[in-house]
mmCIF file of all heavy atoms in Angstrom:
data_model
loop_
_atom_site.group_PDB
_atom_site.id
_atom_site.type_symbol
_atom_site.label_atom_id
_atom_site.label_comp_id
_atom_site.label_asym_id
_atom_site.label_seq_id
_atom_site.Cartn_x
_atom_site.Cartn_y
_atom_site.Cartn_z
ATOM 1 N N GLU A 10 -10.052 15.131 1.842
ATOM 2 C CA GLU A 10 -10.112 14.374 0.592
ATOM 3 C C GLU A 10 -10.112 15.304 -0.612
ATOM 4 O O GLU A 10 -9.581 14.975 -1.654
ATOM 5 C CB GLU A 10 -11.337 13.487 0.601
ATOM 6 C CG GLU A 10 -11.223 12.275 1.509
ATOM 7 C CD GLU A 10 -10.098 11.360 1.140
ATOM 8 O OE1 GLU A 10 -9.879 11.115 -0.064
ATOM 9 O OE2 GLU A 10 -9.402 10.889 2.031
ATOM 10 N N LEU A 13 -6.833 16.047 -2.494
ATOM 11 C CA LEU A 13 -6.118 15.019 -3.253
ATOM 12 C C LEU A 13 -6.519 15.078 -4.704
ATOM 13 O O LEU A 13 -7.704 14.971 -5.044
ATOM 14 C CB LEU A 13 -6.420 13.651 -2.656
ATOM 15 C CG LEU A 13 -6.069 13.504 -1.179
ATOM 16 C CD1 LEU A 13 -6.422 12.111 -0.702
ATOM 17 C CD2 LEU A 13 -4.608 13.802 -0.927
ATOM 18 N N ARG A 38 -0.837 15.133 -5.529
ATOM 19 C CA ARG A 38 -1.347 14.729 -4.223
ATOM 20 C C ARG A 38 -2.353 13.596 -4.323
ATOM 21 O O ARG A 38 -2.985 13.213 -3.347
ATOM 22 C CB ARG A 38 -2.003 15.920 -3.500
ATOM 23 C CG ARG A 38 -1.013 16.960 -3.008
ATOM 24 C CD ARG A 38 -0.234 16.436 -1.825
ATOM 25 N NE ARG A 38 0.797 17.359 -1.388
ATOM 26 C CZ ARG A 38 2.073 17.073 -1.313
ATOM 27 N NH1 ARG A 38 2.500 15.872 -1.650
ATOM 28 N NH2 ARG A 38 2.944 17.961 -0.896
ATOM 29 N N GLY A 39 -2.513 13.026 -5.528
ATOM 30 C CA GLY A 39 -3.490 11.984 -5.705
ATOM 31 C C GLY A 39 -2.942 10.602 -5.356
ATOM 32 O O GLY A 39 -1.771 10.453 -5.007
ATOM 33 N N HIS A 40 -3.795 9.573 -5.475
ATOM 34 C CA HIS A 40 -3.298 8.220 -5.267
ATOM 35 C C HIS A 40 -2.421 7.831 -6.440
ATOM 36 O O HIS A 40 -2.415 8.506 -7.485
ATOM 37 C CB HIS A 40 -4.447 7.239 -5.018
ATOM 38 C CG HIS A 40 -5.486 7.215 -6.100
ATOM 39 N ND1 HIS A 40 -5.352 6.525 -7.264
ATOM 40 C CD2 HIS A 40 -6.715 7.810 -6.168
ATOM 41 C CE1 HIS A 40 -6.428 6.663 -8.014
ATOM 42 N NE2 HIS A 40 -7.282 7.442 -7.378
ATOM 43 N N THR A 41 -1.658 6.769 -6.296
ATOM 44 C CA THR A 41 -0.560 6.493 -7.229
ATOM 45 C C THR A 41 -0.810 5.312 -8.159
ATOM 46 O O THR A 41 0.091 4.910 -8.908
ATOM 47 C CB THR A 41 0.742 6.244 -6.449
ATOM 48 O OG1 THR A 41 0.539 5.163 -5.525
ATOM 49 C CG2 THR A 41 1.181 7.506 -5.697
ATOM 50 N N SER A 42 -2.003 4.756 -8.162
ATOM 51 C CA SER A 42 -2.308 3.679 -9.095
ATOM 52 C C SER A 42 -2.137 4.184 -10.524
ATOM 53 O O SER A 42 -2.713 5.188 -10.922
ATOM 54 C CB SER A 42 -3.748 3.189 -8.900
ATOM 55 O OG SER A 42 -4.068 2.208 -9.834
ATOM 56 N N ASN A 52 4.272 0.095 0.057
ATOM 57 C CA ASN A 52 3.563 0.557 1.256
ATOM 58 C C ASN A 52 4.588 0.920 2.338
ATOM 59 O O ASN A 52 5.696 0.377 2.345
ATOM 60 C CB ASN A 52 2.664 -0.565 1.797
ATOM 61 C CG ASN A 52 1.688 -1.092 0.785
ATOM 62 O OD1 ASN A 52 0.667 -0.526 0.554
ATOM 63 N ND2 ASN A 52 2.034 -2.229 0.154
ATOM 64 N N LEU A 53 4.192 1.771 3.246
ATOM 65 C CA LEU A 53 5.091 2.188 4.320
ATOM 66 C C LEU A 53 4.563 1.752 5.683
ATOM 67 O O LEU A 53 3.362 1.776 5.952
ATOM 68 C CB LEU A 53 5.218 3.725 4.375
ATOM 69 C CG LEU A 53 5.930 4.459 3.245
ATOM 70 C CD1 LEU A 53 6.122 5.925 3.681
ATOM 71 C CD2 LEU A 53 7.256 3.842 2.923
ATOM 72 N N VAL A 101 5.929 10.603 -0.507
ATOM 73 C CA VAL A 101 4.653 9.906 -0.548
ATOM 74 C C VAL A 101 3.558 10.969 -0.540
ATOM 75 O O VAL A 101 3.649 11.951 0.193
ATOM 76 C CB VAL A 101 4.511 8.965 0.674
ATOM 77 C CG1 VAL A 101 3.111 8.398 0.789
ATOM 78 C CG2 VAL A 101 5.545 7.828 0.577
ATOM 79 N N PRO A 102 2.535 10.843 -1.383
ATOM 80 C CA PRO A 102 1.541 11.925 -1.488
ATOM 81 C C PRO A 102 0.794 12.230 -0.194
ATOM 82 O O PRO A 102 0.379 13.366 0.044
ATOM 83 C CB PRO A 102 0.572 11.425 -2.575
ATOM 84 C CG PRO A 102 1.357 10.437 -3.359
ATOM 85 C CD PRO A 102 2.284 9.788 -2.384
ATOM 86 N N ALA A 103 0.564 11.204 0.639
ATOM 87 C CA ALA A 103 -0.147 11.426 1.902
ATOM 88 C C ALA A 103 0.241 10.340 2.891
ATOM 89 O O ALA A 103 0.324 9.163 2.530
ATOM 90 C CB ALA A 103 -1.666 11.427 1.690
ATOM 91 N N TYR A 104 0.484 10.758 4.127
ATOM 92 C CA TYR A 104 0.843 9.850 5.220
ATOM 93 C C TYR A 104 -0.234 9.893 6.288
ATOM 94 O O TYR A 104 -0.908 10.906 6.478
ATOM 95 C CB TYR A 104 2.163 10.280 5.886
ATOM 96 C CG TYR A 104 3.349 10.485 4.970
ATOM 97 C CD1 TYR A 104 3.536 11.688 4.288
ATOM 98 C CD2 TYR A 104 4.302 9.493 4.832
ATOM 99 C CE1 TYR A 104 4.653 11.890 3.485
ATOM 100 C CE2 TYR A 104 5.433 9.679 4.051
ATOM 101 C CZ TYR A 104 5.610 10.885 3.376
ATOM 102 O OH TYR A 104 6.722 11.077 2.594
ATOM 103 N N ARG A 105 -0.338 8.795 7.036
ATOM 104 C CA ARG A 105 -1.214 8.767 8.202
ATOM 105 C C ARG A 105 -0.385 8.566 9.462
ATOM 106 O O ARG A 105 0.506 7.698 9.494
ATOM 107 C CB ARG A 105 -2.272 7.661 8.076
ATOM 108 C CG ARG A 105 -3.332 8.015 7.028
ATOM 109 C CD ARG A 105 -4.467 7.003 6.989
ATOM 110 N NE ARG A 105 -5.580 7.543 6.204
ATOM 111 C CZ ARG A 105 -6.716 6.894 5.987
ATOM 112 N NH1 ARG A 105 -6.922 5.716 6.519
ATOM 113 N NH2 ARG A 105 -7.667 7.441 5.240
ATOM 114 N N PHE A 107 -0.455 7.634 13.471
ATOM 115 C CA PHE A 107 -1.239 6.967 14.495
ATOM 116 C C PHE A 107 -0.543 7.107 15.856
ATOM 117 O O PHE A 107 0.699 6.971 15.937
ATOM 118 C CB PHE A 107 -1.389 5.478 14.193
ATOM 119 C CG PHE A 107 -2.180 5.168 12.960
ATOM 120 C CD1 PHE A 107 -1.605 5.224 11.699
ATOM 121 C CD2 PHE A 107 -3.511 4.805 13.071
ATOM 122 C CE1 PHE A 107 -2.347 4.929 10.566
ATOM 123 C CE2 PHE A 107 -4.277 4.493 11.940
ATOM 124 C CZ PHE A 107 -3.700 4.553 10.680
ATOM 125 N N MET A 112 -5.772 7.201 14.574
ATOM 126 C CA MET A 112 -5.219 8.085 13.570
ATOM 127 C C MET A 112 -5.432 9.530 14.009
ATOM 128 O O MET A 112 -6.574 9.968 14.222
ATOM 129 C CB MET A 112 -5.864 7.868 12.208
ATOM 130 C CG MET A 112 -5.107 8.559 11.084
ATOM 131 S SD MET A 112 -5.872 8.396 9.473
ATOM 132 C CE MET A 112 -7.043 9.733 9.543
ATOM 133 N N GLU A 115 -3.569 13.195 8.951
ATOM 134 C CA GLU A 115 -3.136 12.802 7.626
ATOM 135 C C GLU A 115 -2.377 13.987 7.071
ATOM 136 O O GLU A 115 -2.908 15.112 7.000
ATOM 137 C CB GLU A 115 -4.321 12.431 6.733
ATOM 138 C CG GLU A 115 -3.894 11.852 5.382
ATOM 139 C CD GLU A 115 -5.077 11.244 4.625
ATOM 140 O OE1 GLU A 115 -5.676 10.277 5.140
ATOM 141 O OE2 GLU A 115 -5.377 11.747 3.530
ATOM 142 N N CYS A 134 3.566 -3.774 -2.972
ATOM 143 C CA CYS A 134 2.228 -3.234 -3.221
ATOM 144 C C CYS A 134 1.613 -3.853 -4.481
ATOM 145 O O CYS A 134 2.327 -4.039 -5.484
ATOM 146 C CB CYS A 134 2.282 -1.715 -3.378
ATOM 147 S SG CYS A 134 0.769 -0.947 -3.945
ATOM 148 N N PHE A 136 -0.224 -2.520 -6.625
ATOM 149 C CA PHE A 136 -0.185 -1.639 -7.789
ATOM 150 C C PHE A 136 0.934 -2.073 -8.750
ATOM 151 O O PHE A 136 0.858 -1.803 -9.945
ATOM 152 C CB PHE A 136 0.049 -0.189 -7.355
ATOM 153 C CG PHE A 136 -1.149 0.483 -6.718
ATOM 154 C CD1 PHE A 136 -1.048 1.768 -6.221
ATOM 155 C CD2 PHE A 136 -2.355 -0.168 -6.617
ATOM 156 C CE1 PHE A 136 -2.126 2.405 -5.639
ATOM 157 C CE2 PHE A 136 -3.452 0.446 -6.026
ATOM 158 C CZ PHE A 136 -3.332 1.733 -5.527
ATOM 159 N N ASN A 157 -9.323 4.845 -6.663
ATOM 160 C CA ASN A 157 -8.448 4.043 -5.807
ATOM 161 C C ASN A 157 -9.033 2.625 -5.737
ATOM 162 O O ASN A 157 -10.255 2.448 -5.834
ATOM 163 C CB ASN A 157 -8.385 4.676 -4.406
ATOM 164 C CG ASN A 157 -7.216 4.161 -3.604
ATOM 165 O OD1 ASN A 157 -6.489 3.270 -4.001
ATOM 166 N ND2 ASN A 157 -7.010 4.761 -2.443
ATOM 167 N N VAL A 158 -8.192 1.627 -5.552
ATOM 168 C CA VAL A 158 -8.672 0.256 -5.450
ATOM 169 C C VAL A 158 -9.471 0.088 -4.166
ATOM 170 O O VAL A 158 -9.208 0.744 -3.149
ATOM 171 C CB VAL A 158 -7.493 -0.736 -5.517
ATOM 172 C CG1 VAL A 158 -6.652 -0.669 -4.231
ATOM 173 C CG2 VAL A 158 -7.955 -2.144 -5.786
ATOM 174 N N ALA A 159 -10.483 -0.777 -4.186
ATOM 175 C CA ALA A 159 -11.297 -1.031 -3.000
ATOM 176 C C ALA A 159 -10.557 -2.001 -2.085
ATOM 177 O O ALA A 159 -10.011 -3.026 -2.521
ATOM 178 C CB ALA A 159 -12.636 -1.640 -3.414
ATOM 179 N N MET A 160 -10.553 -1.672 -0.781
ATOM 180 C CA MET A 160 -9.861 -2.478 0.231
ATOM 181 C C MET A 160 -10.792 -2.742 1.403
ATOM 182 O O MET A 160 -11.573 -1.896 1.804
ATOM 183 C CB MET A 160 -8.602 -1.746 0.710
ATOM 184 C CG MET A 160 -7.523 -1.602 -0.357
ATOM 185 S SD MET A 160 -6.277 -0.328 0.036
ATOM 186 C CE MET A 160 -7.067 1.138 -0.663
ATOM 187 N N ARG A 162 -11.274 -4.842 5.387
ATOM 188 C CA ARG A 162 -10.866 -5.698 6.506
ATOM 189 C C ARG A 162 -11.599 -7.035 6.385
ATOM 190 O O ARG A 162 -12.751 -7.093 5.979
ATOM 191 C CB ARG A 162 -11.240 -5.073 7.851
ATOM 192 C CG ARG A 162 -10.445 -3.824 8.210
ATOM 193 C CD ARG A 162 -10.798 -3.398 9.629
ATOM 194 N NE ARG A 162 -10.099 -2.178 10.010
ATOM 195 C CZ ARG A 162 -10.562 -0.934 9.804
ATOM 196 N NH1 ARG A 162 -11.725 -0.763 9.203
ATOM 197 N NH2 ARG A 162 -9.871 0.107 10.182
ATOM 198 N N VAL A 178 -6.131 -7.323 5.681
ATOM 199 C CA VAL A 178 -6.836 -6.441 4.771
ATOM 200 C C VAL A 178 -6.570 -6.925 3.346
ATOM 201 O O VAL A 178 -5.451 -7.382 3.020
ATOM 202 C CB VAL A 178 -6.374 -4.984 4.932
ATOM 203 C CG1 VAL A 178 -7.019 -4.077 3.892
ATOM 204 C CG2 VAL A 178 -6.696 -4.479 6.329
ATOM 205 N N ASP A 224 -13.615 -0.562 3.347
ATOM 206 C CA ASP A 224 -13.031 0.106 4.523
ATOM 207 C C ASP A 224 -12.022 1.168 4.114
ATOM 208 O O ASP A 224 -11.813 2.144 4.843
ATOM 209 C CB ASP A 224 -12.365 -0.930 5.440
ATOM 210 C CG ASP A 224 -13.368 -1.894 6.033
ATOM 211 O OD1 ASP A 224 -14.216 -1.449 6.814
ATOM 212 O OD2 ASP A 224 -13.325 -3.075 5.690
ATOM 213 N N PHE A 225 -11.398 0.973 2.968
ATOM 214 C CA PHE A 225 -10.430 1.919 2.425
ATOM 215 C C PHE A 225 -10.627 1.959 0.892
ATOM 216 O O PHE A 225 -11.068 0.990 0.299
ATOM 217 C CB PHE A 225 -8.983 1.487 2.728
ATOM 218 C CG PHE A 225 -8.708 1.103 4.157
ATOM 219 C CD1 PHE A 225 -8.793 -0.222 4.552
ATOM 220 C CD2 PHE A 225 -8.387 2.067 5.097
ATOM 221 C CE1 PHE A 225 -8.533 -0.590 5.866
ATOM 222 C CE2 PHE A 225 -8.138 1.716 6.422
ATOM 223 C CZ PHE A 225 -8.214 0.393 6.805
ATOM 224 N N GLY A 226 -10.269 3.080 0.285
ATOM 225 C CA GLY A 226 -10.369 3.159 -1.161
ATOM 226 C C GLY A 226 -11.798 3.426 -1.624
ATOM 227 O O GLY A 226 -12.657 3.870 -0.875
ATOM 228 N N ASP A 227 -12.042 3.142 -2.926
ATOM 229 C CA ASP A 227 -13.310 3.477 -3.562
ATOM 230 C C ASP A 227 -14.048 2.222 -4.022
ATOM 231 O O ASP A 227 -13.417 1.270 -4.518
ATOM 232 C CB ASP A 227 -13.054 4.364 -4.801
ATOM 233 C CG ASP A 227 -12.306 5.644 -4.458
ATOM 234 O OD1 ASP A 227 -12.614 6.230 -3.411
ATOM 235 O OD2 ASP A 227 -11.422 6.028 -5.248
ATOM 236 N N CYS A 242 -3.259 -7.284 1.163
ATOM 237 C CA CYS A 242 -3.025 -5.865 0.930
ATOM 238 C C CYS A 242 -2.059 -5.283 1.947
ATOM 239 O O CYS A 242 -2.114 -5.616 3.131
ATOM 240 C CB CYS A 242 -4.362 -5.120 0.947
ATOM 241 S SG CYS A 242 -4.229 -3.345 0.708
ATOM 242 N N GLY A 243 -1.217 -4.363 1.476
ATOM 243 C CA GLY A 243 -0.249 -3.696 2.344
ATOM 244 C C GLY A 243 -0.849 -2.665 3.262
ATOM 245 O O GLY A 243 -0.132 -2.029 4.039
ATOM 246 N N VAL A 244 -2.175 -2.479 3.226
ATOM 247 C CA VAL A 244 -2.851 -1.648 4.236
ATOM 248 C C VAL A 244 -3.042 -2.442 5.536
ATOM 249 O O VAL A 244 -3.384 -1.883 6.562
ATOM 250 C CB VAL A 244 -4.177 -1.106 3.687
ATOM 251 C CG1 VAL A 244 -5.001 -0.401 4.748
ATOM 252 C CG2 VAL A 244 -3.909 -0.126 2.538
ATOM 253 N N THR A 245 -2.787 -3.742 5.488
ATOM 254 C CA THR A 245 -2.888 -4.566 6.682
ATOM 255 C C THR A 245 -2.172 -3.964 7.882
ATOM 256 O O THR A 245 -2.717 -3.961 9.001
ATOM 257 C CB THR A 245 -2.379 -5.994 6.397
ATOM 258 O OG1 THR A 245 -3.223 -6.592 5.395
ATOM 259 C CG2 THR A 245 -2.406 -6.856 7.652
ATOM 260 N N GLN A 247 -1.923 -0.995 8.781
ATOM 261 C CA GLN A 247 -2.749 0.045 9.398
ATOM 262 C C GLN A 247 -3.803 -0.554 10.308
ATOM 263 O O GLN A 247 -4.060 -0.055 11.403
ATOM 264 C CB GLN A 247 -3.387 0.920 8.321
ATOM 265 C CG GLN A 247 -2.363 1.675 7.492
ATOM 266 C CD GLN A 247 -2.963 2.711 6.598
ATOM 267 O OE1 GLN A 247 -4.015 3.286 6.908
ATOM 268 N NE2 GLN A 247 -2.305 2.974 5.479
ATOM 269 N N ALA A 248 -4.403 -1.663 9.870
ATOM 270 C CA ALA A 248 -5.349 -2.359 10.749
ATOM 271 C C ALA A 248 -4.626 -2.941 11.954
ATOM 272 O O ALA A 248 -5.169 -2.939 13.076
ATOM 273 C CB ALA A 248 -6.048 -3.475 9.971
ATOM 274 N N MET A 251 -4.031 -0.212 14.496
ATOM 275 C CA MET A 251 -5.234 0.097 15.258
ATOM 276 C C MET A 251 -5.485 -0.942 16.333
ATOM 277 O O MET A 251 -5.975 -0.611 17.425
ATOM 278 C CB MET A 251 -6.433 0.170 14.299
ATOM 279 C CG MET A 251 -6.367 1.320 13.307
ATOM 280 S SD MET A 251 -7.748 1.256 12.114
ATOM 281 C CE MET A 251 -7.211 2.482 10.918
ATOM 282 N N THR A 260 2.138 5.541 8.544
ATOM 283 C CA THR A 260 1.946 4.728 7.350
ATOM 284 C C THR A 260 1.634 5.657 6.154
ATOM 285 O O THR A 260 1.453 6.852 6.331
ATOM 286 C CB THR A 260 0.775 3.740 7.521
ATOM 287 O OG1 THR A 260 -0.463 4.476 7.476
ATOM 288 C CG2 THR A 260 0.868 2.990 8.840
ATOM 289 N N HIS A 261 1.595 5.082 4.971
ATOM 290 C CA HIS A 261 1.044 5.795 3.827
ATOM 291 C C HIS A 261 -0.457 5.877 3.979
ATOM 292 O O HIS A 261 -1.070 4.996 4.632
ATOM 293 C CB HIS A 261 1.395 5.074 2.515
ATOM 294 C CG HIS A 261 0.770 3.700 2.458
ATOM 295 N ND1 HIS A 261 1.178 2.642 3.253
ATOM 296 C CD2 HIS A 261 -0.273 3.222 1.735
ATOM 297 C CE1 HIS A 261 0.435 1.591 3.005
ATOM 298 N NE2 HIS A 261 -0.463 1.920 2.092
ATOM 299 N N ALA A 262 -1.098 6.881 3.401
ATOM 300 C CA ALA A 262 -2.547 6.859 3.285
ATOM 301 C C ALA A 262 -2.917 5.801 2.241
ATOM 302 O O ALA A 262 -2.194 5.632 1.242
ATOM 303 C CB ALA A 262 -3.080 8.234 2.872
ATOM 304 N N PRO A 263 -3.995 5.046 2.424
ATOM 305 C CA PRO A 263 -4.329 3.984 1.478
ATOM 306 C C PRO A 263 -4.346 4.491 0.035
ATOM 307 O O PRO A 263 -4.956 5.499 -0.294
ATOM 308 C CB PRO A 263 -5.710 3.532 1.929
ATOM 309 C CG PRO A 263 -5.706 3.793 3.406
ATOM 310 C CD PRO A 263 -4.929 5.071 3.553
ATOM 311 N N GLY A 264 -3.604 3.778 -0.830
ATOM 312 C CA GLY A 264 -3.536 4.124 -2.250
ATOM 313 C C GLY A 264 -2.475 5.150 -2.578
ATOM 314 O O GLY A 264 -2.244 5.408 -3.766
ATOM 315 N N HIS A 265 -1.800 5.707 -1.600
ATOM 316 C CA HIS A 265 -0.802 6.763 -1.811
ATOM 317 C C HIS A 265 0.582 6.177 -1.468
ATOM 318 O O HIS A 265 1.017 6.215 -0.327
ATOM 319 C CB HIS A 265 -1.104 7.965 -0.941
ATOM 320 C CG HIS A 265 -2.425 8.623 -1.257
ATOM 321 N ND1 HIS A 265 -3.635 8.009 -0.967
ATOM 322 C CD2 HIS A 265 -2.711 9.805 -1.830
ATOM 323 C CE1 HIS A 265 -4.607 8.807 -1.363
ATOM 324 N NE2 HIS A 265 -4.091 9.897 -1.899
ATOM 325 N N MET A 266 1.231 5.631 -2.502
ATOM 326 C CA MET A 266 2.397 4.787 -2.287
ATOM 327 C C MET A 266 3.733 5.492 -2.536
ATOM 328 O O MET A 266 3.775 6.582 -3.136
ATOM 329 C CB MET A 266 2.340 3.570 -3.227
ATOM 330 C CG MET A 266 1.045 2.778 -3.132
ATOM 331 S SD MET A 266 0.790 2.122 -1.470
ATOM 332 C CE MET A 266 -0.838 1.431 -1.689
#
Side-chain angles (χ1 to χ4, degrees):
E10 286 299 319
L13 302 180
R38 288 288 176 238
H40 56 81
T41 57
S42 177
N52 304 278
L53 292 190
V101 171
Y104 306 84
R105 288 187 168 181
F107 294 82
M112 193 183 84
E115 187 168 298
C134 170
F136 286 177
N157 197 354
V158 71
M160 293 163 272
R162 291 186 182 89
V178 175
D224 295 295
F225 312 94
D227 302 320
C242 179
V244 173
T245 298
Q247 296 190 30
M251 295 174 191
T260 73
H261 64 290
H265 298 69
M266 306 300 174

